[in-house]
Amino acid sequence: MIDKKILDQHSLTEDEYRLIVDLVGKEPNLTELGIFSVMWSEHCGYKSSRVHLKKLPTEGKHVVQGPGENAGILDIGDGQVIVFKIESHNHPSYIEPYQGAATGVGGILRDIFTMGARPIAVLDSLRFGPPDDPKNRSVMEGVVSGIAGYGNSIGVPTVGGEVYFDPCYNLNPLVNVFCLGLADKDKIFYAKAEGAGNKVLYVGAKTGRDGIHGATMASSEFGAETEHKRPNVQVGDPFKEKLLLEACLEVMDRGLIVGIQDMGAAGLTCSTTEMAAKGGMGIVVDLDKVPQREAGMTPYEILLSESQERMLLVATPDNVAAVQEVFAKWDLDAPVIGEVVEGGRARISFKGEVVVDIPVDAVVNLCPAYTRPSVAPAPPPAAPALDSLPLPADCGEVLLKLLASPTIADKEWVFRQYDHMVQVNTVFLPGADAALLRIKGSKKALAVTLDGNSLYTRLDPRTGARIAVAEACRNLACVGARPIGVTNCLNFGNPEKPEVMGQFEQAVTGLAEACRTFGIPVTGGNVSFYNDTEGLSIHPTPVLGIVGILDDIRKAVSPGFKAAGDALVLVGESFEELGGSEYLKVVHGLEAGAPPAIDLEQEKRNQEFLLEAVDAGLVRSAHDLSEGGLAVALAESAFHGARKVGCEVDLDEALRADALLFGESQSRIVVTCRRANVGRLLEMAAARGVPAKAIGLTGGAEIAVRQSGRELLRVPVEKACRIWKDSMPGFFEVRA
């Protein structure tokens, strides 16, 4: 039996080692053990999550490719498809924030263009500890700079996303990056090595020692010391990636290749074994032919390196010269390093000796799947009884405090560092409910959003996950788009902790229920476990990336009030719900209570009504109610217009003032329409069984809200907007 210390270094158990011996038919050498280590890691093998992910719906009328490939593919008509996926780069971004985030962008871009699609947009979901801590500010600055440095350089716009703050992310920030691409339906490529005798080409950057065991690092907890893990973090070169992107798209467009795979997590190991396994073939590789930028590299290092900007191609012998000519034009290496063969084994040589001889099916498809022990999540800390919770002395001051809180405050400090207009497809600037992208040559547009409230999910994993899907779909409806597919990034703690697995099981159940209600298939995604540092787990954080279609871009709707004198209509019902709210957290210092209830069928009816009203041309603006409730939604709508427009609102619900203003009851949307259209809008709502009421008018220079004639708050728009905008830059000016 191999030394347990070596197994621990490779994050393999003794049972897993015995299974490897049985599958391979011999004791593996160290290089072969390294291959199994990365391919059977949690990051690559999904061994703790596979049994639960089967609950998710994966089929639908638009689906061309579901889970199992580099990215999901949906048919959008007119001979075109969209290719999209989300990935995490959490651990690397804590160790080395700039490169961790930058290579996260580079990796997700390769997942998209390896399918034959040109990337047209990036969005990112970021989670940090509170920015009043210098360490958190440093990590945040590095992450934002890394995303900007890579995306801006390669010429793909970063068009939206979200940024949340909570102490649970102090030692474990989350960096989830989403990418959307566009391709012709008849020019899709897959990661398959087919055809015995076809040649295997290595293209892109040279291989170095950076990123070795990066996938394994992402599949384990962190302790107090992380400096020694810096070599596990890859180093990116966006300019090299731009050349690689154009060269790959050119050989695909010319039909010169049979298959293609990104060298992402697990590097050359992943691409060689996965392509062979998916094609039902074997593969032979000569490591001496792999371009290397460092002297004296061992087979172990070459195979497990996660150096960036590299791809593996398969081409017929007749096309090899043409492929190499294209890559030479783009100043990139493209040597033949191997061949597709029969037999289903990976035989890899180095300096004339076979150093790896293993069945690819064992590496790729026979990783054990575990049903980990789980316990039901503990009930949330009880919120104080509402009658014991003091009412605010000044609701206007509470609104200003919420607008200044990091999670709600304006994120322009972040997105102004991104180029969001390159490729000139961006319709709405970042900050709208969803990003909107024009499809050139068509009147259609694509809408996309990222969403996930981790506090809700900590308090009630199933409800929190259901709300994440519902809110993402609601954001699409607010710009006039109908959701057609979803990708998810599920960020959780250590799956070996039963309470974490309990959170995960319930969250996946909630996701499945909501996706089925909205009729949207899950086309792929990522599970990021082991987000634990020094024994502390993050809040369970499912992030949903949902894509929708707007059939006529001329009907697109944005969140800002358009002019004075428009009618304000509140869609949905308000309840006395304060659990899990930003108000309870920011004003009372409590992360407690049950999150707001969600009726998925009612949510769907509300969204269908909004889409019908948008299509009929009745809606001037729409903005969903989320963190901070009605008061924050009104303020944001006042800020987002071409010119700032206030509002006068009068509500008649018999609720506590704080619940009415700052509660986060679900399925609600603030809509404006011309006053002449109010009656028609409300009739449409009633016909669909949707609660809706006129609550006031836009206009003036203040945000004013009354309850049955009694004034609750009156805040100047300019003052509120200044506080909202200045909050985030203020944290970083302190550091300077």
Side-chain angles (χ1 to χ4, degrees), residues 288-522:
D288 296 313
K289 296 179 179 178
V290 172
Q292 299 162 47
R293 69 168 184 261
E294 298 184 47
M297 291 188 71
T298 65
Y300 187 103
E301 293 171 327
I302 297 169
L303 283 166
L304 271 64
S305 166
E306 293 183 12
S307 293
Q308 297 291 284
E309 294 85 42
R310 304 178 301 156
M311 309 282 273
L312 204 67
L313 308 183
V314 175
T316 63
D318 292 344
N319 284 332
V320 167
V323 170
Q324 291 175 326
E325 183 180 338
V326 169
F327 279 87
K329 181 181 76 173
W330 292 100
D331 196 27
L332 294 170
D333 293 313
V336 174
I337 66 166
E339 187 173 300
V340 179
V341 296
E342 302 282 359
R345 298 186 74 84
R347 289 190 177 88
I348 301 173
S349 62
F350 180 70
K351 298 190 182 304
E353 294 185 10
V354 174
V355 292
V356 172
D357 186 357
I358 53 178
V360 293
D361 197 48
V363 176
V364 176
N365 297 320
L366 299 180
C367 172
Y370 298 125
T371 302
R372 301 273 190 195
S374 67
V375 296
L386 288 180
D387 57 8
S388 69
L389 194 69
L391 284 165
D394 186 335
C395 289
E397 287 302 313
V398 171
L399 173 59
L400 297 179
K401 189 171 184 178
L402 285 171
L403 291 172
S405 66
T407 290
I408 291 176
D410 183 32
K411 302 304 186 298
E412 186 180 1
W413 182 88
V414 175
F415 65 70
R416 75 182 178 191
Q417 300 182 49
Y418 304 149
D419 186 340
H420 40 263
M421 294 303 294
V422 66
Q423 300 188 18
V424 295
N425 295 318
T426 309
V427 179
F428 293 153
L429 298 180
D433 287 70
L436 195 65
L437 301 156
R438 64 176 55 85
I439 302 173
K440 293 186 177 76
S442 168
K443 68 177 183 178
K444 292 187 297 188
L446 297 170
V448 61
T449 186
L450 297 184
D451 260 300
N453 186 309
S454 59
L455 179 53
Y456 289 173
T457 313
R458 181 180 79 83
L459 297 173
D460 183 338
R462 183 175 171 186
T463 298
R466 286 156 61 105
I467 288 175
V469 176
E471 185 178 346
C473 290
R474 195 185 321 140
N475 283 334
L476 296 185
C478 283
V479 303
R482 186 177 300 278
I484 61 171
V486 57
T487 182
N488 55 49
C489 197
L490 308 181
N491 307 272
F492 286 76
N494 185 342
E496 297 165 47
K497 296 178 178 178
E499 62 272 22
V500 170
M501 280 311 301
Q503 292 172 338
F504 185 79
E505 289 179 28
Q506 290 204 13
V508 172
T509 297
L511 293 177
E513 292 167 342
C515 288
R516 286 194 170 87
T517 299
F518 290 100
I520 48 175
V522 178

Side-chain angles (χ1 to χ4, degrees), residues 18-98:
R18 282 190 287 267
L19 178 57
I20 291 167
V21 172
D22 289 342
L23 292 172
V24 176
K26 65 182 179 73
E27 295 267 345
N29 61 40
L30 189 62
T31 301
E32 292 168 337
L33 191 70
I35 288 173
F36 276 97
S37 170
V38 293
M39 294 300 292
W40 283 17
S41 67
E42 195 70 60
H43 186 78
C44 294
Y46 291 84
K47 54 192 177 185
S48 297
S49 59
R50 267 185 286 156
V51 295
H52 303 291
L53 296 177
K54 293 175 182 178
K55 300 175 188 174
L56 299 173
T58 59
E59 297 180 355
K61 66 178 182 179
H62 294 280
V63 176
V64 176
Q65 175 64 53
E69 269 288 341
N70 287 297
I73 305 176
L74 297 177
D75 190 334
I76 59 169
D78 302 320
Q80 291 182 302
V81 296
I82 53 172
V83 182
F84 64 107
K85 191 182 182 185
I86 188 170
E87 280 278 3
S88 62
H89 235 224
N90 303 334
H91 286 57
S93 297
Y94 180 58
I95 299 168
E96 174 39 69
Y98 184 96

